[in-house]
């Protein structure tokens, strides 16, 4: 379960709250659509939920994010990642290793998962997303869509309780949209909580809750 309690936030250089006293709770199996125009704060909200704000980006933040009764402000980013994982809007910000296999191994290695199990996780996720052929490829040489899928694979190997997907469908072919949609539904059926930010695809088709960013902004 995830509880967002009385969260307010503004970037230092602005005078009104982008997110104003927002309270929301998500239960296992929820798929939550985060909708709003460009600049309405979707990415900002996801960064708050996973602690990137205020741990990496600064601003004036108040309120609490509670995951399974633990306030995430008491955890480090490496401690948060296996609980709450972010698929970034821009995949180039997410991929750091020379090859896809190394990229996918990094998260579980950090969790001290035994090597055999890491290999199993990688096999499984490559299979599920239908990207087995990318395993030994250089990450820098991948297409945009392939980078998105590999980024998604890299958070799936962490097996987090909560997936934060920032525009997971933007710029993708129908084939990849279908693969990701199916994966989202499967993860939710398995008890995960999924947040999906986006404005250009009908994510309401499978979301059971919606957050309208305009309702969170102090100006409205
Ligand atoms: N690091 C930052 N410092 C200052 N202002 C920022 C920062 N990041 C975002 N903003 C501003 O906050 C507002 C919300 O940005 P955000 O990226 O959260 O919107 P978004 O809804 O994700 O937009 P998009 O649909 O284009 O991805 C924008 O006005 C943006 O310029
Ligand atoms: Mg965004």
């Amino acid at each position: 379960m995830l509880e967002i309690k009385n969260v307010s936030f503004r970037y230092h250089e602005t005078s009104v709250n982008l997110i104003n006293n927002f309270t929301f709770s998500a239960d296992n199996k929820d798929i939550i659509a985060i909708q709003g125009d460009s600049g309405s704060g979707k990415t900002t909200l996801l960064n708050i939920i996973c602690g990137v704000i205020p741990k990496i980006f600064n601003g004036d933040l108040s309120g609490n994010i509670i995951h399974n009764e633990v306030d995430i402000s008491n955890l480090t980013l490496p401690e948060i990642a296996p609980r709450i994982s972010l698929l970034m809007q821009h995949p180039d910000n997410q991929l750091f290793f020379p090859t896809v296999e190394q990229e996918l191994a990094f998260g579980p290695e950090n969790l001290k998962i035994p090597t055999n199990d890491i290999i199993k996780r990688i096999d499984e996720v490559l299979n599920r997303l239908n990207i087995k052929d990318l395993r030994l490829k250089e990450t820098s040489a991948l297409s945009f869509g392939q980078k998105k899928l590999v980024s998604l694979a890299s958070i799936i190997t962490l097996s987090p309780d909560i997936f934060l997907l920032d525009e997971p469908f933007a710029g993708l072919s129908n084939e990849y949209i279908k693969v990701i949609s199916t994966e989202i539904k499967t993860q939710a059926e398995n008890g995960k909580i999924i947040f999906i930010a986006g404005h250009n695809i009908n994510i309401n088709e499978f979301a059971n809750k919606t957050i309208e960013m305009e309702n969170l902004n102090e100006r409205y």
Side-chain angles (χ1 to χ4, degrees):
M1 185 180 182
L2 182 82
E3 295 166 271
I4 301 172
K5 285 191 175 167
N6 304 108
V7 165
S8 294
F9 178 76
R10 66 179 177 83
Y11 289 104
H12 284 319
E13 56 269 38
T14 54
S15 56
V16 294
N17 284 341
L18 187 59
I19 296 169
N20 194 42
N21 200 22
F22 177 53
T23 294
F24 182 86
S25 94
D27 298 307
N28 293 355
K29 302 193 176 190
D30 275 347
I31 300 178
I32 303 116
I34 303 179
Q35 297 197 315
D37 293 340
S38 257
S40 61
K42 301 180 295 296
T43 298
T44 302
L45 177 61
L46 294 179
N47 282 338
I48 292 170
I49 295 173
C50 66
V52 164
I53 293 174
K55 292 178 197 295
I56 295 180
F57 300 122
N58 242 316
D60 197 349
L61 176 69
S62 59
N64 304 87
I65 307 292
I66 318 277
H67 172 236
N68 293 345
E69 298 180 3
V70 175
D71 190 320
I72 65 149
S73 66
N74 297 322
L75 304 176
T76 63
L77 285 176
E79 286 168 339
I80 295 170
R83 294 168 170 262
I84 306 174
S85 292
L86 174 67
L87 176 73
M88 293 181 184
Q89 184 166 359
H90 305 290
D92 283 332
N93 295 338
Q94 189 133 18
L95 301 174
F96 288 102
F97 288 86
T99 71
V100 169
E101 190 174 50
Q102 288 168 316
E103 191 70 57
L104 299 184
F106 172 71
E109 274 169 2
N110 262 352
L111 297 179
K112 310 261 184 292
I113 290 170
T115 308
N116 278 348
D117 292 341
I118 294 177
I119 292 167
K120 246 188 252 162
R121 282 191 189 197
I122 294 175
D123 288 342
E124 198 191 305
V125 75
L126 290 173
N127 226 350
R128 283 233 298 275
L129 299 183
N130 203 16
I131 49 171
K132 275 191 287 193
D133 54 324
L134 300 185
R135 186 180 194 124
L136 301 175
K137 288 249 163 85
E138 283 181 35
T139 45
S140 59
L142 301 177
S143 73
F144 175 85
Q146 290 168 335
K147 284 180 183 170
K148 269 263 155 127
L149 276 190
V150 170
S151 298
L152 178 62
S154 76
I155 65 171
I156 291 172
T157 57
L158 289 172
S159 193
D161 280 351
I162 302 173
F163 288 82
L164 308 178
L165 308 180
D166 199 352
E167 313 253 3
F169 303 114
L172 295 192
S173 66
N174 287 337
E175 182 202 337
Y176 277 11
I177 290 174
K178 204 163 159 229
V179 168
I180 294 182
S181 304
T182 304
E183 183 60 26
I184 289 171
K185 288 178 202 157
T186 308
Q187 293 285 353
E189 279 160 15
N190 290 338
K192 310 292 189 173
I193 296 172
I194 326 271
F195 287 84
I196 312 172
H199 47 81
N200 55 354
I201 193 148
N202 195 4
I203 42 187
N204 282 325
E205 250 175 54
F206 48 90
N208 64 316
K209 292 183 180 172
T210 302
I211 296 171
E212 291 287 353
M213 289 310 301
E214 274 74 13
N215 298 341
L216 276 50
N217 190 296
E218 199 175 25
R219 272 179 304 177
Y220 295 94

